[in-house]
Amino acid sequence: MAPEHTDQPFSHGLTARILVADDEPRLLNTLASLLRSRGYDVAEAHGGRKACELIDQQTFDLALLDLRMPEVTGFDVMAHLAIGQPDCGVIVVSGESSFSAVSRALRRGALDYIRKPFDPEELLATVESVIGKKSLLEAHEHIQMRLEKSEALHRYIVNSSPDIVFMLDQDGHFCFVNSKVESLLGYKPAELCGQHFRHILDDRDVTRGTLALKGPNITADNPRTLEVRLKTRGSRRATRHFEITAFPIDPQTWPQTWPHSGNTQGGGSGNGATYYGTARDVTERKEAEAFINFQAYHDLLTRLPNRALFKDRLELAITHANRGGQKLAVMFLDLDRFKVINDTLGHAMGDRLLQAVTHRLEKCLRKGDTLSRFGGDEFTLLLPSIHNHEDARQIAKKLIDALRAPFQLGDHEVFVGVSIGIAIFPEAGETMDQLIQNADIAMYHVKGKGKDGYRFYSDSMSIDTANRLNLERDLRQALERDELRVFYQPQVCSTTNRVVGLEALVRWQHPERGLLYPRDFLPLAEETKLIGQLSERVLDQACQDVGRWIQEGHTHLRLAVNLSPIQVEHPRFVETLMQQVKAHNFPAGNLEIEITENVIMNDLEQISQKLRELAALGVRIAIDDFGTGYSSLNYLHRLPIHTLKVDQSFVKAIRSGDDGACIVNAIVAMAHGLKLEIVAEGVETDEQLDYLRSLGCHQVQGFFYGPARPAAEISRTLGSTRAKAASF
C-alpha cells in the first residue's frame, strides 16, 4: 500500500525530482498529475528528444520512461542518462511486453518495469519503493544494488514467464530451461539439460533451426527470431508452433553462473551458457491464420475451393499444359431446378441440397481434379492432363448420372439435374478467362436445349453469344417500351368450322429487326429470368382481349396460354396466376393452361398438387406437344388433365404408310379411352384435316385456318358465326 503522506522527502531533505517521458500527451499529463498529487517535483518530456534536452539542463533522481517513442527511444534516453546522470534511477512504463524488450531494459539498468495500462496505486507504490531503495543505495555501493535489483527482477520474470526461457552452450545443448517447458511440451526441465536443442525440433525444421544460431550479426540488440514446430513429449509430429528469439550472451555483462538453479525454477544452472532465448507458443495464432486462409480460398458451406482458388489452380494447370503440350478441360456446371427447391423448401434445405450435391460430385472425380463452388448453384471443374474429348465426356456423363437419383431432404424427395458446358484447352481458349467464359457459354446452350445434359464449346457459340447479349439488352428495353404484341391462333371445330378457342402467342415488334417470333427470343427470356415479366404481359393482354369477346356473346370461347417451366415450378404459381385472372374478371372456366410433359415429370408430386388446385378453381389443363415426351398413361390417369395437344411433327407426317399417322392414331385412341379432348396442331392440308376427322379428332389449329393474327383481325373474324379459311 502507498503511504498516507503527500510529500515524499528525498536525500538531503529535498523533494524527489522525477522526469516523465512519453510520446502520448494525454498519458504524459495523466502520469505527471498523478505524481504531483503525491508531492513529487515532476518535469514532463513529450518524446525522447525532449527528455534528453531536460537531462542536459536539470538533475533528476528518477526517470519514468516509455520504450516506444519515435526518433529517440526509451533505450536511447537510458543511454543518455547513463552518461550524463548515472545516479538517476529508471522505471520503464511501457506497452512493450516482449521478453526481449524487458530483458534489454533491465540489462541497461532499469530498476523496475510497469506495463501499460497501469494501475495508479501500483505505479505510485513502485515509485515510492524505488525512491526508498535509492536512498539506501546512496549509503551503499550504488552499482551493486542496482545489479542485484535487476537480477532479482529478471529472475522473477524468468520464473513467472508465460514463455519457455532457455540457455544453450556453444554446441547447442541446453544448460538451463525454465519450468514452462513442462506445461507446454511435457518435458521435465532436468531431462532436457544436456540434450541438444534439435531433440525437441520437428524433423521438418531441424535444418532451419540449427542453422539459425550460426548466422552472422546476431547480437543482444539484433536477436535471431524464427518460427518452428516443436514436438511434444512422446510425439514425432509437431503439435505446437513456437516463435523463438535467441541471442549470444556477453560474458562481460552476463555472468556465466546466472541464473542459479536454487533461485530460478527450472533445470540447469546456466553454467557455460553461450546463447540465451525464449520460445513463445503461437499455435493459436497459427491456427487462426490457417482458418482465415481457408476462409479466403474455400466455400464454407461445401468446403470446396472457391472462385479465387480455382482460378489459381487453373492458371498453374495451363502453365503445365503449355510446357508439356497437353490438354485440359474446364467444365461449368449449373444445377437445374435448384432455385425452385430453394424457394419452396427454404434456404436451409437449399444449403443441405448443395452439400449433398457436392458429396456426389466429388465421388466422380479423379485425383488431381479440382471441383469448385463458383457461386450460388454454379460449380466449376478443372480436369488437368486429359488425352482427348472422350475423357471429358466420360466425366460429364458420370456427373449427370450421379445427380439423377432423388435427394432426400427431411420428408421431401427432390430431383435436381445439371447442365454442363465444357471448354477444352487449347482449342476453346488459351487463357483462364477464355476457358471459364467459353465453358459458361456452352452450359447456356445446354440450358436452351432442355437442360440436364452437356455440350462442348465451339466457335459458332461465340457468335450466338454476341447476338445474345445485344438481344438481351433489346428484350429488357422491349418490356420497358411495350414492344410485345399478343397474337391469337384459332382452335377450330373440324366438323362445324366454328372457333372454340384461341391460343395466345407472343410476338415482338423489334424496332430494327421487325416482327420476331417466340423461337427468336423465348429461350433467352427463360435464361435471363425475364420470362415471368413477359408472361405477365401476355396473360394480362389476353385476358383483356378474350374477356371482352366473351362479354360480347362468345361465352364458350376458350383462352389457351402456354406457361414456361420456370413459372409452373415457382412456389406461388397458383396464387399468382389466379390473382391475374381475377384482376381482369376473367372466368376461370374459360382459361386453359398448356404445359409440357417434361414439366410434370420433373417434379410429379409438387406439380400434381398445383394442377389439382387449379382444376378445383375451374381452370382447364392441357398437355402441349403430347407424344414428344414421356407419354405416360400413369400421370394422365392420375392428374386432372382435360386436353391433349398432338405435336405438329406427327400431324405433318400424316401420309399413307408413314409412322407419324400411326402415332396420331394411338394418341387419339388414348384420348378417347381416357375421355380427354384432343387438339391437333399444325394442320395445313385437306388431307390432314380429313384424316383427323376420320379418327374423331374434332379440334384442330394450324395454317389451314390461317396463322396467328392480331386481336383486331380476330375480332372481325368472331363477328361471323362460322370460321372459314378465307376469313383468316
Side-chain angles (χ1 to χ4, degrees):
M1 294 294 293
E4 295 293 326
H5 58 274
T6 58
D7 290 331
Q8 175 62 49
F10 195 58
S11 59
H12 312 299
L14 299 175
T15 300
R17 285 188 52 75
I18 300 177
L19 171 65
V20 180
D22 201 302
D23 63 325
E24 296 183 30
R26 183 181 60 79
L27 217 83
L28 179 65
N29 184 260
T30 300
L31 189 54
S33 299
L34 181 66
L35 293 171
R36 289 189 182 108
S37 70
R38 290 298 176 91
Y40 296 112
D41 184 5
V42 180
E44 299 174 41
H46 182 218
R49 188 179 302 281
K50 181 64 176 177
C52 291
E53 291 175 2
L54 290 175
I55 290 168
D56 293 337
Q57 298 167 6
Q58 304 176 35
T59 301
F60 297 97
D61 301 304
L62 183 63
L64 274 62
L65 305 177
D66 181 21
L67 292 181
R68 289 184 178 178
M69 291 186 289
E71 298 182 354
V72 179
T73 68
F75 293 114
D76 298 330
V77 177
M78 291 173 69
H80 199 72
L81 273 171
I83 297 171
Q85 299 188 40
D87 293 336
C88 179
V90 175
I91 296 176
V92 172
V93 183
S94 178
E96 174 63 70
S97 61
S98 67
F99 183 83
S100 59
V102 175
S103 174
R104 183 181 174 191
L106 294 174
R107 286 184 282 108
R108 291 291 180 89
L111 301 177
D112 215 324
Y113 189 101
I114 299 172
R115 184 180 177 182
K116 294 179 182 178
F118 56 81
D119 178 75
E121 290 300 321
E122 180 184 350
L123 182 137
L124 289 171
T126 302
V127 169
E128 289 162 2
S129 174
V130 168
I131 288 177
K133 288 186 179 181
K134 194 169 183 305
S135 65
L136 294 176
L137 289 176
E138 290 185 347
H140 299 84
E141 219 167 84
H142 186 69
I143 299 300
Q144 184 61 38
M145 285 296 294
R146 289 178 65 183
L147 179 60
E148 288 178 2
K149 172 64 179 178
S150 214
E151 288 186 354
L153 185 58
H154 199 171
R155 191 173 293 114
Y156 169 77
I157 291 172
V158 169
N159 291 338
S160 59
S161 173
D163 304 331
I164 297 172
V165 180
F166 62 88
M167 290 183 176
L168 304 176
D169 65 18
Q170 62 181 0
D171 296 321
H173 297 87
F174 287 106
C175 53
F176 170 80
V177 62
N178 71 346
S179 60
K180 196 65 180 179
V181 73
E182 186 170 3
S183 61
L184 291 178
L185 296 175
Y187 300 98
K188 292 186 179 299
E191 71 177 295
L192 285 180
C193 287
Q195 295 270 11
H196 196 279
F197 74 91
R198 75 164 69 92
H199 177 72
I200 62 173
L201 281 175
D202 179 84
D203 294 343
R204 293 166 291 182
D205 291 335
V206 167
T207 301
R208 192 161 60 92
T210 52
L211 291 176
L213 296 181
K214 298 178 180 179
N217 304 322
I218 304 176
T219 65
D221 291 334
N222 184 36
R224 175 55 53 88
T225 300
L226 72 158
E227 288 186 3
V228 293
R229 289 158 287 192
L230 300 183
K231 295 183 291 189
T232 57
R233 182 183 176 87
S235 172
R236 286 190 167 187
R237 293 189 60 194
T239 55
R240 305 201 70 79
H241 294 260
F242 283 81
E243 183 180 81
I244 307 293
T245 301
F247 53 84
I249 293 173
D250 185 353
Q252 300 299 321
T253 60
W254 198 304
Q256 290 289 303
T257 58
W258 194 93
H260 300 288
S261 57
N263 296 325
T264 305
Q265 299 171 13
S269 64
N271 288 334
T274 302
Y275 296 98
Y276 184 90
T278 61
R280 173 163 293 182
D281 190 344
V282 293
T283 304
E284 290 185 4
R285 191 197 79 200
K286 296 292 287 187
E287 289 174 348
E289 289 174 353
F291 179 67
I292 291 170
N293 184 66
F294 184 87
Q295 283 183 309
Y297 290 102
H298 290 80
D299 169 56
L300 295 184
L301 176 65
T302 61
R303 316 294 286 180
L304 291 175
N306 62 11
R307 185 180 306 204
L309 183 53
F310 179 82
K311 288 184 173 182
D312 284 346
R313 292 185 180 176
L314 177 54
E315 284 278 24
L316 187 61
I318 290 172
T319 301
H320 287 312
N322 267 323
R323 288 176 181 170
Q326 298 175 325
K327 295 179 181 291
L328 63 83
V330 172
M331 293 187 181
F332 203 103
L333 293 73
D334 187 90
L335 299 184
D336 301 330
R337 302 186 63 256
F338 172 77
K339 185 177 186 302
V340 175
I341 296 169
N342 201 45
D343 290 345
T344 305
L345 302 181
H347 294 290
M349 286 297 187
D351 288 347
R352 285 177 57 183
L353 177 59
L354 286 173
Q355 291 170 333
V357 166
T358 299
H359 182 67
R360 287 195 194 176
L361 293 178
E362 286 183 314
K363 289 184 176 180
C364 303
L365 306 183
R366 312 167 303 170
K367 186 177 180 180
D369 295 343
T370 297
L371 177 66
S372 157
R373 185 182 178 201
F374 220 58
D377 61 344
E378 295 177 335
F379 297 81
T380 49
L381 175 60
L382 167 63
L383 304 177
S385 304
I386 63 169
H387 296 95
N388 48 46
H389 284 57
E390 189 59 29
D391 289 348
R393 191 190 315 277
Q394 292 302 320
I395 295 292
K397 288 180 178 179
K398 284 184 181 180
L399 297 173
I400 293 170
D401 291 341
L403 299 187
R404 283 229 166 97
F407 291 85
Q408 194 67 39
L409 300 178
D411 298 330
H412 303 276
E413 189 178 70
V414 301
F415 293 82
V416 60
V418 62
S419 299
I420 304 175
I422 309 171
I424 303 294
F425 172 89
E427 303 97 278
E430 297 183 354
T431 68
M432 173 191 70
D433 291 333
Q434 287 175 346
L435 289 168
I436 294 174
Q437 180 181 353
N438 291 342
D440 190 14
I441 291 171
M443 183 274 294
Y444 270 109
H445 278 73
V446 178
K447 291 279 190 186
K449 297 294 182 181
K451 305 179 182 179
D452 199 28
Y454 68 90
R455 285 194 70 177
F456 288 89
Y457 172 81
S458 63
D459 290 338
S460 62
M461 292 180 181
S462 293
I463 300 171
D464 293 343
T465 302
N467 292 333
R468 177 184 176 277
L469 292 174
N470 293 331
L471 198 63
E472 179 182 346
R473 177 201 61 208
D474 292 349
L475 183 55
R476 293 182 185 277
Q477 292 176 350
L479 288 166
E480 297 173 4
R481 298 171 180 173
D482 197 23
E483 294 173 358
L484 299 179
R485 304 287 181 264
V486 180
F487 282 35
Y488 300 92
Q489 186 169 49
Q491 295 173 337
V492 181
C493 175
S494 63
T495 56
T496 67
N497 279 344
R498 188 179 300 276
V499 176
V500 294
L502 295 167
E503 181 177 2
L505 300 169
V506 66
R507 302 288 187 264
W508 177 7
Q509 191 63 53
H510 194 283
E512 297 174 0
R513 301 171 62 179
L515 192 67
L516 300 182
Y517 288 80
R519 63 176 177 271
D520 299 321
F521 60 90
L522 280 189
L524 177 63
E526 293 212 13
E527 286 179 26
T528 55
K529 314 302 182 191
L530 295 173
I531 191 67
Q533 296 179 52
L534 188 149
S535 296
E536 272 187 38
R537 300 281 181 88
V538 172
L539 185 57
D540 282 340
Q541 187 62 52
C543 284
Q544 288 179 35
D545 293 339
V546 180
R548 184 177 67 255
W549 296 326
I550 290 172
Q551 290 174 2
E552 291 173 354
H554 303 279
T555 55
H556 298 292
L557 192 62
R558 184 175 65 233
L559 169 62
V561 292
N562 289 283
L563 299 176
S564 76
I566 292 176
Q567 289 174 276
V568 179
E569 291 168 352
H570 194 281
R572 298 184 63 233
F573 162 61
V574 175
E575 179 185 350
T576 303
L577 179 66
M578 295 314 297
Q579 282 177 352
Q580 276 189 276
V581 171
K582 290 176 182 177
H584 296 283
N585 294 317
F586 191 89
N590 290 66
L591 177 65
E592 183 172 81
I593 64 168
E594 298 182 2
I595 57 177
T596 63
E597 294 173 274
N598 292 343
V599 172
I600 296 174
M601 301 308 293
N602 275 343
D603 192 344
L604 186 57
E605 179 185 347
Q606 293 290 329
I607 301 299
S608 299
Q609 178 61 34
K610 294 175 182 178
L611 296 184
R612 291 190 187 98
E613 290 178 25
L614 288 174
L617 295 169
V619 177
R620 296 169 56 85
I621 313 297
I623 303 301
D624 197 14
D625 301 331
F626 188 79
T628 61
Y630 294 89
S631 304
S632 169
L633 285 172
N634 181 44
Y635 84 80
L636 289 177
H637 179 70
R638 290 171 52 191
L639 299 182
I641 306 299
H642 302 88
T643 305
L644 297 183
K645 298 192 71 178
V646 182
D647 187 68
Q648 59 182 336
S649 62
F650 302 130
V651 173
K652 288 179 180 178
I654 293 178
R655 297 183 185 88
S656 58
D658 274 2
D659 291 338
C662 298
I663 294 174
V664 172
N665 294 350
I667 294 173
V668 173
M670 181 190 300
H672 288 165
L674 295 171
K675 295 182 172 53
L676 300 175
E677 293 187 17
I678 187 161
V679 177
E681 297 182 291
V683 177
E684 298 178 354
T685 67
D686 287 316
E687 179 186 4
Q688 293 168 345
L689 183 60
D690 291 341
Y691 189 88
L692 291 167
R693 281 174 180 161
S694 70
L695 294 177
C697 178
H698 300 306
Q699 294 183 40
V700 296
Q701 69 182 89
F703 275 31
F704 184 83
Y705 292 99
R709 294 297 175 89
E713 294 187 31
I714 296 296
S715 187
R716 288 194 295 271
T717 300
L718 291 175
S720 63
T721 57
R722 298 173 66 85
K724 299 178 181 178
S727 302
F728 297 92

